[in-house]
Amino acid sequence: MYLSSEQERMLGGEMGTATQRLFRLLVRLGDVYGADRMIPVGSVQISGVSYKSIGDPGLEFLEDFAAKGARAKVLSYLNPTGMDMCAWREMGIPDDFAEKQMRIVEAFKTMGVITTATCTPYLAGNLPRFGEHVAWSESSAVSFANSVIGARTNREGGPSALAAAVCGVTPEYGLHLESNRQPQFVVEVEAEIRNTADFGALGYRIGEIAQDKIPYIEGLRGAYTDQLKVLGAAMAASGAVALYHAAEITPESRTVDPSGLERITITRKDIDEAYRSLNSADEPDIVILGCPHASIREIFEIALKLEGIEIEKPLWICTSRCVKRMADEVGLTERIGAAGGRIVADTCMVVSPLEDIGYGCTGVNSAKAAHYLPSFCGQRVVFLDTDELIRRIAK
Ligand code: F3S
C-alpha cells in the first residue's frame, strides 16, 4: 500500500506509540482488503462505548490509549453509552455500572473525542456532505450516511474507528470505492407502508433477503428522513446492509442503473410476517421510542400524540443530548413529561442494562430494537406503531 511520508512517520512511531499502534491496525485492515492507499476522513463515529458492551477489557483498552497520548485529529463522536450521563439515577442504573461508564466517557474525552453519544450524529452537528469519506461504526448511522446522505463509509469496528479518529485516515476499500456502490438486486415494494413501524418491518424483511448485498428499492412513496433512518437501521439488523438505493429518493439512485438485475417483490404478507417474527408479547412494562435516536420532529410528533393523555407505565424517548437540549428549550420535554413520559439522552434501550433495571417486556416501534432486545437485554417484545404503543400504556 502506498503511504505518504507523514503516514510512514506514524508507522515508524515518530508520533507516539498510541498513534503507531492504531495506524498499524489501519495498515493491516488495508492489506486484508487490498487497499492501495489511505484516504483522509471528514469525521468519525465510534462504537463500543457502553460499559455493557465492552466491559472491563474495553475500559482498560481505552484508558491505556488515553494515557499513552492518543488524540483525535478529526471531528469524532461516540455511539450511545449505557445510561443517561446526567439522569442515570432516575433511570435506575446501578452505581458500579455508572462509575465504569463515566470512566469510559472520560477516556474518550481525554482523547479529544466529542462526547455527544448518539447513533444519529447527523442530527447532532456531525453531518457529512454527499461524497465525503467518513469512518463511522454504528450500523444504522453507516446506512444513513451511505444511503440517505451519499457519504462514503465502511462499517468500522470500535478500534478501527478510533484509529481513524487519531490518524485522520482510513484505508480505501469497500464502500469508499464507486465501483462497490452499485445495486445488486431490485426490491419492488407493493405493500402499502402506513407508518414508521411499517418502514422498520419492511427494512427487516429486505435485510433478511439482502444479507450483505445492496438493494435498489422501488415503490417507496412519501418516505421522510426519519422513516429512511428506521428503514436502514432494520436492514442493517436483519442483514448487513450498509447501503441501499431508494428510487427517486436517495441521491445515488439517480446515478446507478438497476436494469437487468434480479427482482423481488415485497407484499403486505411479508410485512405482516416481519411483525409476527419480532413480537413475543402483548403488554409492555415500558415503552421506549427513539431507535435510531429520535429527531426533533419525532419528539414533536410524540408530544402531539400525548396531548391530553396520561400514561400509567414508563415511556422513554431516546435521543442525543443535543436534541434533548433543543426539546428542553422549546418546551417539548415538559409537554411529554406532563403526560408521564421522559426524554432520555446519551443511551438507548439496547445498550443500557434494561434487564438489571427490572423490566422484562419492552414496547418499541423500531424493528432494529425489536430484533436485539431479546438477545441483548433478555426482553420480550411488543413491536407496534407509536399510536398503538401509546394506547397500550395510556390510563
Ligand atoms: Fe441507536 Fe440503540 Fe437503536 S444505538 S440504532 S437506538 S439499538
Side-chain angles (χ1 to χ4, degrees):
M1 187 188 329
Y2 166 78
L3 295 181
S4 68
S5 56
E6 187 193 352
Q7 291 162 5
E8 291 286 5
R9 289 206 304 281
M10 281 198 260
L11 196 59
E14 280 182 46
M15 299 184 191
T17 52
T19 305
Q20 182 184 36
R21 278 172 60 191
L22 291 169
F23 191 66
R24 259 193 217 140
L25 171 67
L26 295 179
V27 171
R28 270 203 302 276
L29 253 183
D31 284 343
V32 168
Y33 289 102
D36 291 334
R37 59 175 185 158
M38 296 285 172
I39 44 170
V41 290
S43 75
V44 173
Q45 192 251 1
I46 305 171
S47 64
V49 179
S50 168
Y51 177 65
K52 178 176 167 174
S53 320
I54 65 171
D56 289 326
L59 168 60
E60 281 158 28
F61 170 90
L62 293 168
E63 286 186 334
D64 181 42
F65 273 92
K68 286 198 168 82
R71 296 294 178 268
K73 59 161 83 148
V74 294
L75 179 74
S76 304
Y77 274 37
L78 294 178
N79 215 30
T81 74
M83 63 188 199
D84 187 310
M85 295 300 290
C86 298
W88 56 271
R89 279 205 175 83
E90 289 90 318
M91 278 180 77
I93 299 288
D95 285 6
D96 55 337
F97 183 100
E99 188 258 326
K100 300 273 178 70
Q101 186 62 72
M102 282 178 204
R103 280 172 55 193
I104 290 171
V105 172
E106 198 51 42
F108 278 118
K109 197 171 173 189
T110 304
M111 289 191 274
V113 173
I114 306 289
T115 53
T116 297
T118 182
C119 50
T120 57
Y122 45 88
L123 298 175
N126 182 354
L127 177 66
R129 67 161 166 78
F130 178 84
E132 183 173 350
H133 294 280
V134 298
W136 287 12
S137 300
E138 206 290 316
S139 65
S140 72
V142 166
S143 168
F144 193 94
N146 277 318
S147 313
V148 183
I149 301 172
R152 295 175 176 207
T153 180
N154 290 317
R155 186 183 173 189
E156 301 296 340
S160 68
L162 180 63
V166 170
C167 304
V169 293
T170 195
E172 188 182 41
Y173 70 93
L175 293 174
H176 290 289
L177 298 168
E178 183 87 43
S179 54
N180 293 332
R181 299 177 65 87
Q182 301 303 311
Q184 292 161 297
F185 71 106
V186 176
V187 179
E188 237 177 301
V189 181
E190 280 188 355
E192 185 197 350
I193 305 301
R194 301 171 188 142
N195 50 45
T196 300
D198 273 6
F199 273 92
L202 170 66
Y204 198 75
R205 191 70 194 104
I206 297 175
E208 284 177 328
I209 296 163
Q211 291 304 307
D212 60 354
K213 292 206 176 75
I214 301 172
Y216 182 92
I217 307 169
E218 292 177 349
L220 279 189
R221 278 172 291 273
Y224 59 83
T225 319
D226 295 316
Q227 293 168 329
L228 295 174
K229 87 175 154 63
V230 165
L231 177 79
M235 266 187 249
S238 59
V241 179
L243 164 64
Y244 66 89
H245 302 291
E248 304 297 318
I249 295 177
T250 59
E252 282 167 273
S253 70
R254 293 174 177 85
T255 63
V256 295
D257 180 10
S259 53
L261 293 174
E262 179 199 350
R263 299 179 77 83
I264 62 138
T265 304
I266 300 274
T267 63
R268 190 69 216 179
K269 224 170 117 217
D270 295 293
I271 306 291
D272 292 343
E273 181 46 41
Y275 276 103
R276 256 194 302 280
S277 69
L278 289 167
N279 270 286
S280 51
D282 290 320
E283 294 304 323
D285 300 335
I286 180 169
V287 167
I288 312 184
L289 308 173
C291 170
H293 271 178
S295 67
I296 197 73
R297 168 160 57 183
E298 289 174 302
I299 294 174
F300 171 73
E301 286 171 356
I302 293 164
L304 278 185
K305 288 178 196 296
L306 289 172
E307 213 72 58
I309 287 182
E310 223 182 303
I311 52 173
E312 57 182 357
K313 289 185 180 168
L315 166 68
W316 294 356
I317 300 141
C318 300
T319 192
S320 65
R321 186 150 301 277
C322 295
V323 171
K324 179 177 183 297
R325 288 219 173 99
M326 213 187 304
D328 293 349
E329 191 138 314
V330 297
L332 291 173
T333 308
E334 202 182 324
R335 281 167 62 184
I336 289 169
R342 68 160 51 225
I343 299 180
V344 171
D346 317 313
T347 187
C348 81
M349 62 293 268
V350 171
V351 298
S352 66
L354 206 54
E355 64 284 16
D356 297 336
I357 301 173
Y359 298 115
C361 181
T362 301
V364 290
N365 65 353
S366 156
K368 174 174 177 175
H371 174 78
Y372 285 116
L373 278 168
S375 55
F376 278 49
C377 306
Q379 298 292 295
R380 286 174 299 122
V381 170
V382 182
F383 168 48
L384 292 167
D385 193 49
T386 315
D387 289 319
E388 182 54 26
L389 286 171
I390 290 175
R391 204 187 61 71
R392 293 203 185 183
I393 57 168
K395 270 190 184 157

